[in-house]
Amino acid sequence: NPYCSFVVSNCVPKESCANGLDDDKDGDIDCQDSECTMAPVCQDSCSNVAPLMLPGFEYGNTTGKPDVHSASCSTTSGPEVFFTVTPNFNGDLGLMVNSDTDFSISIRTACGDPTSEIHCNNYKPKGILPETMAFPVTKGTTYFVMLDGVSDQDMGYYDMQLAQTAQEAVCGNLMDDDFDAYLDCDDPTQCKGTASCTPGAKAVGESCN
């Protein structure tokens, strides 16, 4: 301007390619934006892998993430995110994903190698119940967890819980303790048929245990 000052009122921020925001307000988020086409994080989702703690809880959004890798349990794929987890126990690791988006879950021992996949799960109908799985792990071994949309239209928010599995010993705590997708008295191997899951004989209105 006449005062030798920069006028920034029409300036638009550059698109940051990994923050989940539409920085330049053009309607495209992260890797969807043409500015990010050649960014390393958009070329390969294995270039930006976050570690997870156990037990742990993670939430995020796959919108704008790369669509590079795919899971064996889905014929199509969409935007994906990767995490690493290194258990400090031998046993079964349970994983539960809540989302309105249809996701597949792939467990691998190497991020970019689909032949290293050891477990894959994609059975939950879209928006119905959490996607759950449990798989055996070895103490000190690093596993890669891929959360992948089942199509290029499947992307969005998610929350994910990871923990060492336990028996469905408490049949009234409203938790899927063994991560087998059966809750409390619906669990056919742990709770169904036990005293706490057997209807009583008292009349309606009488005091129950």
Side-chain angles (χ1 to χ4, degrees):
N1 63 21
Y3 306 101
C4 295
S5 299
F6 288 108
V7 179
V8 299
S9 57
N10 291 323
C11 290
V12 177
K14 290 179 68 66
E15 183 73 19
S16 174
C17 300
N19 64 354
L21 301 174
D22 180 13
D23 303 285
D24 56 6
K25 309 300 181 187
D26 65 352
D28 295 321
I29 297 174
D30 293 353
C31 296
Q32 296 172 337
D33 198 296
S34 58
E35 290 185 37
C36 295
T37 301
M38 299 307 297
V41 71
C42 295
Q43 291 289 307
D44 189 353
S45 46
C46 288
S47 66
N48 186 31
V49 181
L52 298 176
M53 302 295 291
L54 287 176
F57 181 83
E58 180 74 18
Y59 66 93
N61 191 338
T62 60
T63 303
K65 301 304 181 185
D67 182 1
V68 180
H69 300 277
S70 59
S72 67
C73 52
S74 178
T75 56
T76 56
S77 67
E80 77 272 345
V81 289
F82 273 96
F83 305 93
T84 60
V85 58
T86 306
N88 60 353
F89 59 86
N90 294 316
D92 285 347
L93 175 62
L95 192 153
M96 180 185 300
V97 177
N98 285 285
S99 179
D100 289 332
T101 300
D102 196 358
F103 287 119
S104 59
I105 306 170
S106 173
I107 310 299
R108 305 176 175 192
T109 55
C111 187
D113 183 4
T115 64
S116 72
E117 184 183 75
I118 55 176
H119 298 280
C120 193
N121 197 28
N122 175 32
Y123 71 86
K124 178 189 77 67
K126 186 174 182 178
I128 305 297
L129 302 177
E131 191 86 60
T132 62
M133 68 185 304
F135 56 96
V137 295
T138 302
K139 181 179 180 179
T141 300
T142 296
Y143 300 90
F144 291 85
V145 179
M146 181 178 72
L147 195 61
D148 185 31
V150 300
S151 76
D152 58 5
Q153 300 301 310
D154 285 300
M155 63 189 81
Y157 288 97
Y158 62 87
D159 65 69
M160 181 168 57
Q161 177 186 352
L162 297 96
Q164 184 176 9
T165 63
Q167 295 290 313
E168 195 83 34
V170 181
C171 299
N173 62 354
L174 301 181
M175 295 180 66
D176 180 13
D177 304 292
D178 54 3
F179 290 84
D180 65 352
Y182 293 102
L183 191 71
D184 293 346
C185 292
D186 284 335
D187 195 308
T189 59
Q190 305 293 335
C191 292
K192 188 166 286 187
T194 62
S196 58
C197 293
T198 302
K202 294 190 176 183
V204 175
E206 288 190 90
S207 178
C208 295
N209 183 354

